[in-house]
Amino acid sequence: MTVRRQIEQLLAAALAAAQADDRLPAIDTDDLGVERSRVKEADFSSTLPMRLARAVGAAPRDIAATIVDSIAPSPMLAEVSVAGPGFINFLLADAWLAERIAEILESGTAFGRSDAGAGRRVQVEFVSVNPTGPLTVGHGRGAVLGDVLARVLDATGHAVQREYYVNDSGNQVRLLGASMYSHYAAEFDVEVAFPAGGYLGDYVVDWARAIAAEEGRRFLELAEDDAVDEFTRLGIELALGAIREHLGELDIEFANWFHESELHAAGAVTGAIDRLRDRGHVAEREGAVWFVHGDEGDDSENVLVKRTGEPTYLTTDIAYHRNKFEEREFELVIDILGADHHGHAPRMHAAMDALGIPRERLTYLICQMVHVVVEGIPVKQSKRAGDFELFSQLVADVGPDATRYHMLARAADSQMEFDVDLARSQTEENPVHKIRYAHARIASILRKAADQKIDTAEADLSLLTEAPELDLIRTMLDYPELLDSAGRTLEPHHLPHFALNLAGQFNSYYHVHRVISEDKERTRARLQLVSAVKQVLANILGLMGITAPERMVREAEAEAETGA
RNA sequence: GCGCUCGUAGCUCAGCGGAUAGAGCACUGGUCUUCGGAACCAGGGGUCGGGGGUUCGAAUCCCUCCGGGCGCGCCA
C-alpha cells in the first residue's frame, strides 16, 4: 500500500471518530484531499478542512484542529499539525522512513508494481504506420509512448496486448506498388508512368532495384495491373520488414500484427455496415453510403462506401474496432495517433456510440509532432518530398536509450523539440546519461564493498539519520504512487522526470556523505540505502526500456581498450 | 471560417484547484581531485500570452482576444 493510502486511512478514521461523537457533522466526502506536501515542513498534506468548511459552517482551521485531535498515534508519523489556511500536515517519522529500505530491498524488481488494474484486458494499438515506407521520427515518438505505456499498464496489473494494425488494403499500398513498378521497369529501360501522388523516397527506388536484381524482368511479362499487384505485395513485405527491424532496435515488439485484409476476407467490413444500418445510422445518397450520427455539427455524416463501391478507411476502422471489442472482448483499448490524424478520434467515438459500445472504452492518445534539431537548426521533415528524417537514423545516431528518454520526457499532447546534440552527449548535461551514470556509480560502490568483504545482509537502518538520506527514502517511496498515477492517467512522461530527480538527489548525497567509511555499522546501513536507490533506478529505467548499466565506459576509454 | 491542441525562467520542458510557481541546460560566483570529477555547492533570473469571470483560494476551471502547430477528401 502506498504511503498516501495509509495516511488517507488514518485521516478517514479520524474523521469518522470526530463525526461519531458529534464534534463534526456527518458529511460524506469522497476525496480526502491527501497529497504530497509542497512545503518542507510536511510530507503529506490534506485540504479536507477547507473542502468541508462550507458544508460544516466552521472555519477551516477549527475543523482541522478537531480532526487532528482524533488522529490515532502511528509509528509512521512524527507530527500532525494544522497549517496555513487550514491544511492538515503530516510529517513522517525518521525511524519509520529508514525501515522502508528493508521493504524496498525485499520487493526488489517488484517494488512499485501493483495489481491496481485487476487483470483487466487492455489493448494498446500503436505505430500502425501504413506499410508504404520507413518510420519517421514522429512515428518513433508514438512507438516509444505506446511501448512504455504498455509496460506501465503491465506493471500496474493489467493484461496488456500490443497490436500493430497493418493497412495492407486500399489505395496507399497500391500506390507504393505502382511507384515501385515504375522504377523497376526503368531498370530495364521500359517506361511505365510514375503514378500521380506516388511515393518519392529513395527507398522506393532501392526496393525496386533490389527486386529487379533478384527477380529479373519476369514482372514485365505480366499485365500492368497484375504486376502492380505483385509489387504491392512485395512492397508491403519490404516496408513491414524495415519497420519491424527498426522497432526491434528499440526492443519494441508486437504481440499481434493485425492485417486489414483479414477484415475484408472475413466479411467484417460489410458486417459493420449492416450493423450500423440495423441501428439506424446509415443513409444512401449521391451513389454513396453514409454514416449518420449526431456528433460534430457539420461533420455529422461521413462516407462509408464510396461511389466506386469501395469502403473508406473509416468503415474498415469501425469494423476493426468492432472486432476488438465484440470478438476479442478487450475491456479497454488505447489507440495512439499522430497529430495529423487526430480528426479521426471524434468520428470513431461517434461510431462507438452507434455500435452501442461505451465510448469510454476507447481512448485515443494524440501524439504531437517532433521537431528534430541539430546544432540548433531544425531539420525539415516532409514525407512527401522524400527527404524526411528517418527514425532509424535518429536511433543510430543517439542510441536507443537516449531516443527513448527524450521521446518520453514530454507530455504527448505538447509538440516537442528533439535536440540531437543533447541526446548524443555523454556528459551529465544529458539527463539519460546522468541517470544511468548514477546507477553505475552505485554499482561501483557495491563492488568496492564486496571487494572489502563487507557483509551487507544485516544492517541497523536506524543509523540512517542524515536529512539527505531520509529525503532519498521519501523520494523512493513516491515511486509506487508515480507508477500508479501513470497507469491511471496514461501519462508516462512523469517517469523520466522522477528518475532524473532521484539520480540528482543521489549525486548530491554521495558527494557529501561517504558510503564506505571506518564506521562499519553506518557503512552497512548506507550500503543498504544505496542498494535501494540502485534498485529503484533500475526499476524505473526498466519501465522506460532504458538500460541500467553496472559500469560505464567512456568512448575514449573503449577505443583505448580495443586499440590495446 | 470551423474543430483539436499548445503558449510557464534566456533555451527545452514539468506542474493542471490549494500554502513563497519547479527541473535540466545556459549564466554568475565558489569548493576542489574522486567510494568513478563523465563533479558538487551557492546565487541571479518568471506580469505562468493579454483581458474578463467562477471560487475562501486560479498557472490550473469557464468565456474572450492574440500567437504557434495540426486537422477539416467518396486519402489512410
Side-chain angles (χ1 to χ4, degrees):
Chain A
M1 196 190 322
T2 63
V3 182
R4 191 172 66 87
R5 273 300 294 154
Q6 295 180 56
I7 289 181
E8 277 176 351
Q9 289 185 354
L10 286 169
L11 183 59
L15 180 64
Q19 289 175 335
D21 45 23
D22 285 333
R23 283 173 297 139
L24 282 176
I27 293 163
D28 283 340
T29 45
D30 46 351
D31 185 357
L32 296 170
V34 176
E35 291 171 2
R36 276 290 260 143
S37 185
R38 302 172 66 136
V39 293
K40 54 186 175 298
E41 298 78 34
D43 288 300
F44 287 83
S45 300
S46 170
T47 55
L48 182 64
M50 289 176 283
R51 290 162 190 270
L52 289 178
R54 176 178 292 233
V56 171
R61 286 192 62 104
D62 294 340
I63 299 169
T66 303
I67 296 173
V68 167
D69 282 342
S70 302
I71 288 178
S74 161
M76 75 187 292
L77 296 175
E79 193 187 340
V80 182
S81 57
V82 179
F87 292 97
I88 300 173
N89 279 349
F90 299 85
L91 184 68
L92 295 171
D94 291 357
W96 184 85
L97 279 168
E99 283 163 21
R100 292 319 104 200
I101 292 296
E103 279 183 17
I104 295 171
L105 291 174
E106 194 179 333
S107 302
T109 54
F111 179 69
R113 296 179 67 98
S114 74
D115 53 7
R120 294 214 300 158
R121 283 169 55 75
V122 181
Q123 185 192 65
V124 182
E125 185 218 316
F126 60 113
V127 191
S128 298
V129 175
N130 282 343
T132 54
L135 301 173
T136 64
V137 288
H139 299 140
R141 184 180 188 183
V144 172
L145 176 66
D147 179 64
V148 174
L149 200 56
R151 287 167 192 254
V152 167
L153 289 169
D154 174 70
T156 50
H158 300 79
V160 189
Q161 189 207 44
R162 288 157 219 246
E163 181 158 285
Y164 189 118
Y165 180 48
V166 183
N167 297 118
D168 60 347
S169 307
N171 297 332
Q172 297 301 319
V173 284
R174 200 163 167 80
L175 210 45
L176 171 70
S179 306
M180 283 168 63
Y181 179 56
S182 171
H183 288 302
Y184 165 85
E187 288 295 299
F188 303 100
D189 295 322
V190 175
E191 198 173 319
V192 173
F194 191 78
Y199 286 87
L200 299 175
D202 293 340
Y203 64 92
V204 183
V205 182
D206 294 343
W207 291 350
R209 280 193 186 143
I211 292 167
E214 272 182 41
E215 305 283 342
R217 51 187 308 141
R218 70 180 179 91
F219 292 115
L220 290 171
E221 313 300 324
L222 302 173
E224 181 166 339
D225 240 26
D226 296 334
V228 170
D229 282 348
E230 287 298 308
F231 276 91
T232 300
R233 189 177 55 73
L234 290 166
I236 291 170
E237 222 168 80
L238 287 164
L240 283 182
I243 290 168
R244 212 187 285 256
E245 181 192 335
H246 294 143
L247 291 173
E249 284 160 8
L250 283 181
D251 275 324
I252 296 176
E253 288 184 1
F254 291 86
N256 198 31
W257 295 71
F258 191 102
H259 289 72
E260 181 190 340
S261 51
E262 292 172 31
L263 292 169
H264 295 285
V269 179
T270 49
I273 297 168
D274 291 343
R275 174 76 177 195
L276 289 173
R277 185 179 288 116
D278 290 346
R279 295 180 64 92
H281 289 284
V282 170
E284 298 188 28
R285 61 181 160 76
E286 299 164 34
V289 179
W290 297 75
F291 170 40
V292 182
H293 56 94
D295 283 16
E296 314 309 318
D298 291 342
D299 189 31
S300 65
E301 299 195 353
N302 309 93
V303 171
L304 289 171
V305 182
K306 307 177 206 171
R307 260 194 298 258
T308 60
E310 299 164 274
T312 61
Y313 176 83
L314 174 66
T315 313
T316 49
D317 211 36
I318 291 171
Y320 175 44
H321 282 82
R322 201 172 159 225
N323 172 282
K324 292 186 189 202
F325 289 105
E326 293 182 2
E327 301 288 319
R328 293 189 280 164
E329 297 184 335
F330 285 106
E331 292 173 60
L332 185 66
V333 169
I334 298 161
D335 287 1
I336 296 175
L337 244 48
D340 52 344
H341 288 123
H342 77 265
H344 187 60
R347 286 195 285 276
M348 280 305 299
H349 276 136
M352 294 287 287
D353 292 346
L355 290 170
I357 303 167
R359 61 162 70 187
E360 342 37 282
R361 287 171 62 191
L362 175 61
T363 302
Y364 279 98
L365 292 184
I366 312 298
C367 231
Q368 295 294 329
M369 308 196 69
V370 180
H371 301 284
V372 178
V373 176
V374 179
E375 290 170 0
I377 301 160
V379 175
K380 281 271 175 255
Q381 292 166 51
S382 163
K383 190 171 180 177
R384 284 281 156 221
D387 64 347
F388 51 90
E389 179 80 356
L390 297 180
F391 187 51
S392 57
Q393 276 176 13
L394 183 73
V395 176
D397 197 316
V398 308
D401 288 334
T403 301
R404 294 186 86 114
Y405 183 90
H406 291 281
M407 285 293 188
L408 213 53
R410 275 83 183 95
D413 56 10
S414 315
Q415 289 178 44
M416 65 169 284
E417 218 167 80
F418 196 110
D419 184 336
V420 172
D421 301 291
L422 176 64
R424 263 205 284 252
S425 155
Q426 302 255 325
T427 67
E428 296 207 15
E429 73 187 16
N430 184 357
V432 215
H433 188 270
K434 189 177 210 156
I435 298 161
R436 296 177 72 246
Y437 186 41
H439 184 271
R441 223 174 223 164
I442 297 171
S444 169
I445 293 170
L446 296 177
R447 276 195 298 274
K448 177 163 179 170
D451 287 348
Q452 297 182 8
K453 305 272 190 279
I454 300 173
D455 175 26
T456 57
E458 295 290 320
D460 178 3
L461 294 169
S462 70
L463 294 172
L464 299 173
T465 54
E466 300 286 343
E469 294 173 335
L470 296 167
D471 284 344
L472 269 170
I473 298 168
R474 284 182 234 264
T475 300
M476 289 192 277
L477 292 178
D478 285 338
Y479 177 61
E481 195 76 55
L482 170 86
L483 188 43
D484 184 63
S485 137
R488 275 185 289 105
T489 61
L490 308 179
E491 291 180 341
H493 69 275
H494 295 112
L495 301 175
H497 291 104
F498 178 90
L500 180 61
N501 184 32
L502 179 59
Q505 265 188 54
F506 167 74
N507 283 346
S508 304
Y509 168 68
Y510 125 109
H511 270 277
V512 181
H513 302 280
R514 293 206 134 243
V515 175
I516 299 173
S517 68
E518 294 305 309
D519 184 340
K520 301 292 184 207
E521 290 300 315
R522 195 177 290 272
T523 296
R524 281 202 283 274
R526 287 185 172 174
L527 282 168
Q528 289 215 350
L529 168 71
V530 153
S531 296
V533 173
K534 179 170 179 275
Q535 182 71 62
V536 176
L537 284 173
N539 288 4
I540 192 165
L541 285 169
L543 208 55
M544 294 189 286
I546 297 173
T547 57
E550 291 296 310
R551 58 182 80 225
M552 290 179 77
V553 182
R554 291 164 118 167
E555 276 180 2
E557 289 169 8
E559 281 164 25
E561 275 174 31
T562 46

